[in-house]
Amino acid sequence: EIAGRLTEVEMTEHVYKVVELVGTSKTGVTDAIQTAITRAGATLRNLRWFEVAQIRGAVGGDGKVDHYQVTLKAGFTLE
């Protein structure tokens, strides 16, 4: 909006395919997300966005976090 008037913005319409991914990491949630996105990007073209759906983890015998698991919804544009 400029000076109280709406300006026209050229917008393109997109259709996305959504897939569910699960990434894991021993070091943290961010690494688990990056693992899933990096691997998906190797086989999916036009990957555009992700949404974290769940964060889980496993506890080792020593009572400490053993690893993190993040479930993502990821969207890519259709060709």
Side-chain angles (χ1 to χ4, degrees), residues 17-37:
K17 171 75 175 172
V18 178
V19 295
E20 189 171 82
L21 308 168
V22 178
T24 61
S25 171
K26 288 199 165 275
T27 58
V29 171
T30 303
D31 283 345
I33 292 168
Q34 191 61 62
T35 297
I37 296 298

Side-chain angles (χ1 to χ4, degrees), residues 1 4 6 8 16 22-23 25 28 31 34 41 43 47 51-54 56-57 59 62-63 65 68 73 75 78:
E1 188 172 327
L6 293 176
E8 288 187 35
Y16 295 95
V22 178
S25 171
D31 283 345
Q34 191 61 62
T43 57
L47 195 56
E51 171 188 344
V52 174
Q54 287 185 333
R56 290 185 298 278
V59 179
D62 59 359
V65 174
Y68 301 85
K73 291 182 180 181
L78 299 174

